[in-house]
Amino acid sequence: MKKTFLTLSLIAVSAISFAQEEANKEEAPKEGWTRGGNISLLFNQSAFNNDWTGGGVSNIAANLSVSYGFNYRKGPISWDNKIIADYGLTKIKGDDFTRKTNDRLELNSILGKQIKESNWYYSLFLNFRTQMDSGFEDRETPLLDDLGSPVVINGNTLTEKTRVRTTHFFSPAYLQFGPGMLWKKSDNLYVNIAPATARMIFVHKEFTDVGNSQAAIDAFNATGGYFGVEANETSRFEFGASLSGYAKFEIMKNVSMENILNLYSNYLEDPQNVDIDYTANVVMKINKYLSTNITFQAIYDDNAVRAFQIREVFGLGVNYGF
C-alpha cells in the first residue's frame, strides 16, 4: 500500500507542477460566471466467431460520462462548482446478466475569499457523492428441488448463478463539508486543504437490518458493517481532515490530461488509514466529435474494501462540448 500511495502522490505532484507551468501562461480570470461541460460516450467491443482457436469471449461495453462546471468570480470572491456523472455497462457472451462497470454521481463546490492579492483563499467546501443504479454481486447457490432440498447428482450438488443486490441509488452516499484554505492558480489548477471536515455516510436500512439478535448485530459489526455503517443504522458520522486537488493541462496539441485527487483521514477512528480517490482522464482528440479516451481510477476506502480498487477504461469516444 505504501508503494502505491507513493506512486499516486508522485503522479499528482508531477501533474500539478506541470499544470502550474501551463497556468502561468493563462490570462487573468474574468469576473462573472463561466460555464462549460462535455459529454462523452465510449465504446469497446470484441468479437470472435465459433472457429476462433486463440481464445477470447465476445463482449461489448459502453460508458457515458458527463462533466459540467459553473464557476463564479467577483472581486476577491470565487465559487467553483463541478458536476460529474459516469455510467458504464458491459455484456459478455454467455453471461445471463449485464454487468455494471462504472457508476458515479458527484458534486464538488468550493467557495473562497482571496487573501489580499495572493493565490490563497479562505474556503468552505462541499462534496457529495453517490451512484445512480443498483449494484449486484454474482453468487453460486445450491439448486433446490420442489421440497426445498439441494439437488445432488452423482455426489455433486448442482448450483445456479444468482444475483444479490449490494448497493443502489443513495446507498451508499457520502457528504463532506468544512472550512479550510484554498490555493488556486486558475480554474484548472487548485488545491483545497480542510483540517476540520465533517463526513456523513448514508445507506438504506435494507442493507444493515439484521434484526434484534445481539449475536447477529455483533457479527455484522465485527466485519466493519456496511460501508462503515453499523447494524440497524442508516448513517455514520466522521470528523477528520481532507485534501482535494484538481489539475487540467495539455500534454501536447490535441492531448489533454485531467487529474482529480481526494484524500480523507478520519480523526475518530484509524486516522492512519487515509481514504484515497484519484482519477486521471486523458483525452486525445481525433476531430471535433471523435476522440480516444483513457481513464484510470484508484480508490482506497477501508470502510468498503481493505484494498485498492482499480478501474481502467480505454476506448473510442464520441464527444460534445457545451
Side-chain angles (χ1 to χ4, degrees), residues 7 34 72 97 116 119 124 147 187 190 197 200 216 249 256 300:
T7 301
T34 57
Y72 178 79
F97 310 112
K116 296 182 179 180
N119 292 325
L124 180 66
L147 299 177
D187 288 346
Y190 55 83
T197 298
M200 297 292 295
F249 55 90
S256 65
Y300 181 83

Side-chain angles (χ1 to χ4, degrees), residues 36-41 65-69 283 293 318-322:
N38 185 74
I39 299 176
S40 174
L41 182 60
S65 299
V66 179
S67 176
Y68 183 71
V283 179
N293 294 36
V318 179
N319 294 279
Y320 177 72
F322 59 94

